[in-house]
Amino acid sequence: MSSVEHSLSGPADRALANAIRALSMDAVEQANSGHPGAPMGMADIAEVLWRRYLSHNPLNPQWPNRDRFVLSNGHASMLLYSLLHLSGYDLSIEDLKQFRQLHSKTPGHPEVGHTPGVETTTGPLGQGLANAVGMAIAEKTLAAQFNRPGFDLMDHHTYVFVGDGCLMEGISHEVCSLAGTLGLGKLIVFYDDNGISIDGHVQGWFTDNTAQRFMAYGWQVIPRVDGHNAEEIIAAIEMARHNTDHPTLICCQTIIGCGAPTQQGTHDVHGKALGKTEIQAARDYLGWAYPPFEIPSTIYDAWDAKKIGAEKELVWEANFNRYQAMYPELAAELKRRLTGELPKAWSELSQSFIHEQQKANLKVATRKASELCLEAYAPLLPELLGGSADLATSNNTLWSGSRGIQQQADGNYIFYGVREFGMTAIMSGLTLHGGFIPYGGTFLVFMDYARNAVRMAALMQKRVVLVYTHDSIGLGEDGPTHQPIEHLASLRAMPNMRVWRPCDAVETAVAWQQAIERVDGPTALILTRQALAPIARSEKSVAQIQRGAYMVEGSSENPDSILIATGSEVALAQRAMEKLQQQGKRVRLISMPCAESFLQQDKHYQAQLLPANITCRVAIEAASVGYWSQFVGLQGRVIGMQSFGASAPADQLFKEFHITVDAIIAAVNSCLN
């Protein structure tokens, strides 16, 4: 494209798109921080999509059947804030003036739950695209489960804006490959093909044939669309919407910073304020005669989506009411799932199962105990949408009622393939959409592949259940490449994350119960490969498991020393406690399956378990030792791993790394002397 004038649409459309450009460059200038290039470059695409196609209601951002719009290149946040403001969401011009300021509704990158109309938190490139794949899976699966002839209650699109950076990130390969395999025909992605990233022209580091790449994934690809020409954009969207069997990539050739006369088309416009001189030149160049943050009423009127959005929702509600009259049970179930409420029978069922596990006295690996939980809980919870990163038989994430959505559109299980990062971000998209509680499994050591998606789930405070098996050197012969060491500490360091490392089938049942009931963040279930003996406990102790820590039976009420253990090391610590008691020591053993839950208990309960005057404390966990200093103090000891593991049978490894009964006894005696 030789110039902006040559490719921009007609005057009316151009003025509406220029409102986005003006607001974006003004907000970035006022903040002296931000990214004006992408909002200015994608403004014409956004104007066509939002005004002509996007089905949404600014008066009710949570309308269940709204189209989802995801700005995966989240640094272009002023594009989204401008769209939300102009179309009538609760985002004022004063909010735009506070762009990137403390406690404003317009943070530097979009944050779900913080700004009305934002569907997901984006910024780490590629993850918004992955979330969108999860949203599209949710729409398709809910439609298969609930839609009936004449009642398409779940019938909406997921639209995504991505840039070069999103498509360079490895996660884009993972999720787009899966999206093609699943035939997500209502997923439409707009690729901002401007040839520029932060470091300059991308031909030096990004020469992929993107169109052929996506065609190989099984996508419909619409290449070489002029991203500043409304007619071409409309034609591409029409083609995308008519193909319901394949996701669509629309390759939009754009000019980054379109409208900034001396900076457009360069990397200079990507991530800094244009400056007053360039902004005035842009106003002249675009024919935008209004001062900063001023939008004429005619522009507002043309953008306002409140009336038409409310009308669309009313039509949907009328259809739902007819559906409810014909299918009352299905309607009630859909309502329940979309609001995230658990079935009325849940509390009784879960408590009953926990007590059954206590009576059963099973010696099983906690990964197997997790499968037993799914067998018990899942029949009551059709919203559970499981999966594994090609390790289902090792993670025990399949239960007898699992049905892959690849084979059955109304299924409840996703075979993710070896895509840990993509799986985790897709799970966030599923729960962001609503109607599902997703869980997904892999080995704990491979959490590293997915860590940033785990972090995003925690940042967004979304109910995602992360099933991590093969939790320590106890997995044995697979060796140090597969034996997690630092991973527990890494997960526990993450705000909003809860980490459960159960010691037997009973604690596993409680961990699953708590993960399902939790609505304000993700839960990681850390499970063993090896079988673990059951721990004896009273009814009182069973009730206390959900508090994150409790006293194991046989512990001293008036201790001189305290042992703290998790997972497979609880049984080890119990044997050490018994031997120490035979030596005349007064030992208390605390099982602490979830430190985060324990730290949220009242101070009285914490002090009861860990009296401040008992300074001889020993923590035992077959993982990195640093985390436990907060519980054992300066005079305490921690028995764990201070190196990587090795390849050998598990019992040999615990001896090799001195995680033994004798080591615990020696630590207590050293601490007391």
Side-chain angles (χ1 to χ4, degrees):
M1 283 167 283
S2 60
S3 72
V4 177
E5 277 91 0
H6 174 72
S7 56
L8 281 174
S9 304
D13 293 336
R14 188 186 307 174
L16 297 174
N18 286 345
I20 297 171
R21 293 186 171 96
L23 289 172
S24 297
M25 63 186 183
D26 289 342
V28 172
E29 181 68 21
Q30 179 145 313
N32 194 28
S33 173
H35 299 77
M40 297 177 74
M42 300 190 80
D44 300 298
I45 308 167
E47 184 272 324
V48 171
L49 175 64
W50 276 63
R51 290 190 60 249
R52 300 175 190 241
Y53 291 98
L54 196 73
S55 182
H56 62 122
N57 182 6
L59 298 174
N60 180 15
Q62 299 306 313
W63 172 33
N65 199 43
R66 69 193 181 278
D67 288 337
R68 270 56 171 185
F69 175 79
V70 174
L71 184 71
S72 187
N73 45 342
H75 57 272
S77 56
M78 268 311 303
L79 172 66
L80 180 53
Y81 298 150
S82 299
L83 289 164
L84 293 170
H85 169 71
L86 291 167
S87 56
Y89 285 80
D90 183 19
L91 196 67
S92 70
I93 199 72
E94 293 303 316
D95 292 322
L96 300 193
K97 291 178 180 179
Q98 292 299 306
F99 179 54
R100 288 185 161 230
Q101 304 309 300
L102 184 63
H103 303 312
S104 77
K105 291 166 71 174
T106 49
H109 292 84
E111 297 179 26
V112 68
H114 192 79
T115 309
V118 171
E119 299 285 1
T120 181
T121 301
T122 56
L125 294 177
Q127 286 199 63
L129 174 58
N131 296 159
V133 171
M135 294 173 189
I137 292 172
E139 187 276 339
K140 184 175 182 178
T141 307
L142 279 175
Q145 292 176 353
F146 288 98
N147 287 0
R148 294 296 182 268
F151 297 101
D152 291 334
L153 297 181
M154 290 293 108
D155 182 20
H156 55 264
H157 288 81
T158 302
Y159 297 103
V160 194
F161 279 10
V162 303
D164 291 301
C166 291
L167 298 188
M168 283 187 250
E169 287 286 0
I171 192 172
S172 73
H173 296 259
E174 295 185 21
V175 300
C176 292
S177 170
L178 185 60
T181 299
L182 296 178
L184 302 178
K186 291 182 180 176
L187 175 65
I188 300 175
V189 177
F190 296 83
Y191 167 33
D192 182 27
D193 184 11
N194 60 35
I196 297 289
S197 64
I198 294 177
D199 284 348
H201 291 273
V202 300
Q203 67 257 29
W205 49 86
F206 186 49
T207 58
D208 302 16
N209 189 321
T210 300
Q212 288 186 7
R213 169 188 157 192
F214 274 79
M215 289 172 65
Y217 292 153
W219 287 54
Q220 173 180 236
V221 177
I222 305 173
R224 296 181 299 279
V225 173
D226 184 343
H228 303 296
N229 185 297
E231 291 181 359
E232 290 194 25
I233 297 165
I234 290 168
I237 295 174
E238 289 291 334
M239 188 182 299
R241 287 167 60 92
H242 277 92
N243 187 338
T244 58
D245 296 325
H246 306 91
T248 297
L249 180 73
I250 302 175
C251 300
C252 297
Q253 295 178 309
T254 64
I255 301 171
I256 190 172
C258 179
T262 69
Q263 296 185 27
Q264 63 182 9
T266 74
H267 68 279
D268 293 332
V269 76
H270 171 88
K272 63 181 180 180
L274 300 181
K276 289 182 171 54
T277 300
E278 184 72 3
I279 287 177
Q280 184 55 55
R283 279 181 153 76
D284 296 339
Y285 192 62
L286 295 169
W288 187 260
Y290 311 101
F293 297 106
E294 183 177 312
I295 306 293
S297 60
T298 53
I299 298 289
Y300 274 128
D301 291 343
W303 269 105
D304 193 349
K306 295 193 292 295
K307 183 175 183 293
I308 190 171
E311 290 172 351
K312 287 182 178 181
E313 184 171 355
L314 283 173
V315 170
W316 183 85
E317 287 179 350
N319 197 36
F320 181 84
N321 290 336
R322 290 190 291 271
Y323 176 87
Q324 189 170 16
M326 189 171 291
Y327 305 103
E329 292 183 0
L330 276 176
E333 179 67 3
L334 179 57
K335 274 186 176 180
R336 180 189 71 78
R337 287 177 55 176
L338 290 175
T339 58
E341 295 180 6
L342 295 174
K344 292 179 180 178
W346 164 253
S347 180
E348 182 179 349
L349 170 76
S350 59
Q351 288 297 332
S352 175
F353 178 71
I354 290 165
H355 289 290
E356 286 174 11
Q357 295 300 95
Q358 178 67 17
K359 292 176 183 177
N361 216 32
L362 297 173
K363 181 178 181 179
V364 293
T366 50
R367 63 170 174 166
K368 178 62 178 178
S370 173
E371 181 185 355
L372 297 176
C373 292
L374 288 170
E375 291 287 354
Y377 295 156
L380 186 65
L381 299 169
E383 59 263 50
L384 278 180
L385 185 53
S388 174
D390 201 47
L391 288 169
T393 55
S394 291
N395 301 146
N396 293 72
T397 48
L398 282 168
W399 61 286
S400 59
S402 295
R403 305 182 315 280
I405 65 171
Q406 288 90 332
Q407 292 79 33
Q408 294 178 243
D410 64 345
N412 59 7
Y413 195 88
I414 302 172
F415 292 90
Y416 284 102
V418 187
R419 300 181 177 101
E420 296 88 356
F421 194 3
M423 173 182 73
T424 308
I426 285 172
M427 286 196 290
S428 285
L430 290 166
T431 194
L432 283 160
H433 179 281
F436 292 102
I437 301 174
Y439 69 90
T442 187
F443 292 173
L444 177 56
V445 76
F446 299 141
M447 182 275 292
D448 282 341
Y449 281 127
R451 192 180 189 283
N452 199 258
V454 175
R455 182 179 188 272
M456 292 301 290
L459 179 63
M460 293 188 285
Q461 296 182 268
K462 290 301 158 187
R463 178 162 53 180
V464 170
V465 183
L466 305 160
V467 179
Y468 294 137
T469 68
H470 295 59
D471 70 334
S472 74
I473 59 170
L475 66 88
E477 292 86 346
D478 279 342
T481 61
H482 283 54
Q483 293 165 0
I485 302 298
E486 72 279 17
H487 302 74
L488 278 164
S490 175
L491 284 166
R492 288 170 177 148
M494 197 174 290
N496 302 330
M497 175 62 69
R498 288 195 192 164
V499 180
W500 284 85
R501 187 172 184 244
C503 74
D504 65 1
V506 179
E507 286 191 1
T508 305
V510 174
W512 260 108
Q513 177 201 53
Q514 296 301 300
I516 289 168
E517 292 181 0
R518 187 181 183 209
V519 296
D520 60 350
T523 300
L525 305 179
I526 313 299
L527 309 171
T528 66
R529 179 189 190 187
Q530 71 273 30
L532 302 182
I535 299 295
R537 53 175 72 82
S538 66
E539 289 294 314
K540 178 182 177 182
S541 295
V542 173
Q544 290 176 334
I545 295 172
Q546 66 179 324
R547 306 187 77 168
Y550 63 98
M551 192 186 309
V552 174
E553 298 306 303
S555 294
S556 172
E557 290 292 336
N558 182 29
D560 55 26
S561 56
I562 297 174
L563 304 179
I564 307 168
T566 78
S568 53
E569 288 71 72
V570 172
L572 194 71
Q574 190 174 38
R575 295 199 297 274
M577 176 185 73
E578 292 167 355
K579 288 193 173 185
L580 284 162
Q581 288 173 340
Q582 291 170 6
Q583 297 174 9
K585 305 294 192 303
R586 302 189 308 277
V587 184
R588 172 179 294 177
L589 171 56
I590 303 298
S591 176
M592 192 177 289
C594 184
E596 297 83 16
S597 292
F598 174 65
L599 291 171
Q600 289 186 345
Q601 302 304 310
D602 60 84
K603 296 299 181 184
H604 177 70
Y605 183 75
Q606 293 180 21
Q608 274 188 321
L609 286 188
L610 299 174
N613 63 316
I614 309 302
T615 58
C616 180
R617 302 179 183 185
V618 178
I620 310 101
E621 186 174 66
S624 55
V625 299
Y627 176 80
W628 292 101
S629 60
Q630 65 181 309
F631 294 107
V632 302
L634 294 175
Q635 298 179 51
R637 308 285 191 275
V638 181
I639 294 174
M641 296 294 296
Q642 300 191 58
S643 68
F644 292 112
S647 177
D651 57 344
Q652 295 180 25
L653 291 173
F654 278 91
K655 291 177 183 177
E656 173 71 16
F657 293 105
H658 308 292
I659 305 174
T660 63
V661 169
D662 288 344
I664 297 169
I665 292 171
V668 171
N669 286 328
S670 170
C671 189
L672 287 173
N673 293 332

